[in-house]
Structure formats: structure tokens, C-alpha cells
Amino acid sequence: MTYDVIVIGLGGMGSAAAYRLAQRGKRVLGLEKFTPAHALGSSHGGSRITRQAYFEDPAYVPLLLRAHEMWDQIERDSGERIFHRVGGIIVGDPDSGAITGSRASVEQFGLEHELLGASQLRERFPALRPAHDEIGLYEPGAGFVVPETSVAAHLALARRAGADLRFEEPVTHWEPGRVTTSRGTYEAGHVVLCPGPWAPELLGDLRIPFEIERQVQFYFTPAEPFAGYPIYIWDRADGTSFYGFPEHDGAVKVAFHHGGEICTPETIDRTVHAHEVEAIVTATRSPMPGLAGTFQRAATCMYTNTADRDFVIARHPEHDGVTVACGFSGHGFKFVPVVGEILADLAIDGATRHSIALFDPARLHRP
């Protein structure tokens, strides 16, 4: 069977790529190892932060400006609500990396924001109890997206545009122009790989030392109201940095960012242990004492980390007919729609108008 493009992996990035390619009239085959919008990779958990006050690097901001436009478009086209604009607050010491980096981004791009002192934070958001020397950067345009709804919406739109999507069909081998699965062999002019935590397995020839990190998402019934609150990232001086969300679907969600066990998709421990719940309760007890009221549940996911925590998005350096998107390092989902657009550009035209030099895999090659 012959297609214009085969997309391997139909999670956040792959589903968006399949849609954008099919929307441009390409004959697309999408292949997924599991069921649609599954909970075994990195595109689940009910909520993912999106913001433009980007402390990681101001170079990401133009992509985020485009992504926010595209979330609105996807909602219109699919009829699904994906983006919840609830605002966002980043809290930390004035000299912390999260605060200084966020200020650099908002000032460079003129993003709407407010700087709030500790007393202002407590007055506006009573559930937050910052230390006297902590400040907050509030971004009214931030919020969260629902990953499962995003994946489902992009898949539905891809199928509507003519894409052939196949699930529970793992890829056993790929090469430029040809992909073999558990069910057969397919040919295409181009292959797009969005493998998530399976990147070490499927993209070994990139010679990039990806690190797969187990993360845990915790859900609580709060002891005080959190409805109507913004998303938050708390960069604490003691190293216990965490992020979380307002009440959504009957729970508040909170998690640490990085610091998880190194694993593989096959060896990850899917059981969440009592000491892990106690760790997040302890970390949030002082700054947000009403958050971790009654524990409801927890879920694991995986980060696919690069050494510098920046993405890999490029034409494959050794195969002109192959494009890759991986290594999103725990902060990628907010970029889903614009990454889909970039991947379609690269697959069809070999270039994109978006600035992606930061994501060149050559920077990470091991000898």
C-alpha cells in the first residue's frame, strides 16, 4: 500500500501532523501502537499547562503565539473545548530562574502580565501562601489544554480530511519510504516519526542519548476552594518545585516537574506508592495548605528528555525522506498544533517559516 506520508505515533504531535498533512491534500497513513488517546505514553492526564511567559527560553514564544491561535482554530473546527484560559501564575524568589526567565520573555515580546508581591498574591489568591520574599508573575492568557480531547479532535479532523488511521498496529521496522508493522508493509514518499518515549527504540540512528523519566500526576479533593484559580508553577528555593491546576473534573491536579526515576516504556513502574503521595503532600503543605485535602488517585506518564531539555524537530540528518519530532522533555504539549504545522511543512516543503534552529538534532549527537 502506497501513501504520500506515513506518520508513526498518533499521540499529541503525531495526531496534529496527520491532520495538517491530510488537510493539505496528502494521502496519509497514521500508525499507532495502542488505542486512540491512550494513557501509556505522554499525552494523557486530563490537563497540560499552556503559557507564553516562557522561562525556558524566549525563543519559544513565537511558536506559542502561533499555537494559541491554532488551539482556537482546532476548537472551532472540531466543536470540542480543549483550551481553558484560566490564567497562570509563576511563583518564586525574584532571582529564581522561573521568574527571571519569564520576565525576559514577557518583556521581549510585550506579553500581558502583572508582577505581584507576596501580600498581593495572598489577597488575590487566598489559597496561595507565598513566603514574604517570594513574588508572582501573573499571565492572564495562560491556562491548560486537555490532552485526550486534543488528540481525539486532531484524529477526527485527520480522518475527516481523508487520513487512514490504524491503531493497535505497532511498527516493527522503518526505513526511508517503507514501514513494516505487525500487520503488513507500507510505502510512502515520506515518513514522519513522533515516537514519544519510544524514541530510543525507533530513532537510535540519531545517536542522541534520550532519557526516559517516570513522572507521577496526583489528584486530590482540596480542603478549600480551588475553582476559578489559575494554573501555577511554584519554583521553590528548597528545590521542591511543583506545578498544578484549578479544580477540573472534580479534582485538583498537582505534580513535581522532573526528578523522577529513569525508566523505559517497558520497565516503568505504573504503581504509585504511598511515599510518593506523602512527598507531594509535604511539598505543598506550607505554600498551599488547602490543596492536598483528600487523595483521590494518581497516574504515571513519561518525559522524553534531551540533555539540554530543548526539543528535536527536523528532517532526519541522514534520511531526506524522514522527519522527526521527539525529546519534548516534559514541556511539549502546549506546542502540539504548531508542531503539527511544522511537521507538515518539513515533510512537504523541506523547510518551515517557523524558527526551529534551536531544535536541530546535530547539537546532541554523541560520538
Side-chain angles (χ1 to χ4, degrees), residues 254-277:
V254 62
F256 293 114
H257 186 46
H258 290 297
E261 299 173 353
I262 305 307
C263 65
T264 71
E266 290 71 38
T267 64
I268 182 173
D269 182 0
R270 297 283 182 183
T271 300
V272 177
H273 304 279
H275 73 270
E276 295 178 301
V277 179

Side-chain angles (χ1 to χ4, degrees), residues 201-216:
E201 174 185 337
L202 288 175
L203 288 172
D205 59 345
L206 280 181
R207 303 192 307 280
I208 294 174
F210 295 110
E211 179 185 79
I212 310 305
E213 182 182 353
R214 174 183 178 272
Q215 293 294 312
V216 182

Side-chain angles (χ1 to χ4, degrees), residues 4 44 59 102 163 237 322 340:
D4 295 320
H44 61 282
S102 297
V322 178

Side-chain angles (χ1 to χ4, degrees), residues 143-221:
F144 66 91
V145 295
V146 180
E148 294 89 345
T149 308
S150 168
V151 172
H154 279 100
L155 292 176
L157 290 168
R159 187 174 282 112
R160 188 187 305 172
D164 179 4
L165 306 180
R166 304 190 181 198
F167 299 93
E168 298 182 278
E169 187 168 349
V171 169
T172 57
H173 177 75
W174 70 267
E175 58 189 76
R178 179 174 297 177
V179 175
T180 300
T181 74
S182 58
R183 300 181 189 173
T185 297
Y186 310 96
E187 295 185 351
H190 203 90
V191 177
V192 174
L193 287 100
C194 302
W198 288 268
E201 174 185 337
L202 288 175
L203 288 172
D205 59 345
L206 280 181
R207 303 192 307 280
I208 294 174
F210 295 110
E211 179 185 79
I212 310 305
E213 182 182 353
R214 174 183 178 272
Q215 293 294 312
V216 182
Q217 304 166 78
F218 303 90
Y219 303 81
F220 293 89
T221 301

Side-chain angles (χ1 to χ4, degrees), residues 13 58 99 287:
M13 306 305 176
I99 293 293

Side-chain angles (χ1 to χ4, degrees), residues 81-145:
R81 187 181 184 193
I82 302 170
F83 188 175
H84 297 251
R85 282 180 173 81
V86 298
I89 187 81
I90 297 172
V91 184
D93 181 279
D95 296 324
S96 70
I99 293 293
T100 59
S102 297
R103 292 186 69 174
S105 286
V106 298
E107 290 166 7
Q108 180 175 337
F109 290 93
L111 302 177
E112 185 179 358
H113 70 285
E114 293 179 73
L115 287 176
L116 305 173
S119 61
Q120 294 171 302
L121 280 171
R122 289 191 292 268
E123 181 179 357
R124 188 177 297 190
F125 307 111
L128 309 187
R129 314 290 167 84
H132 72 281
D133 57 349
E134 290 182 311
I135 67 171
L137 188 148
Y138 177 70
E139 180 189 354
F144 66 91
V145 295

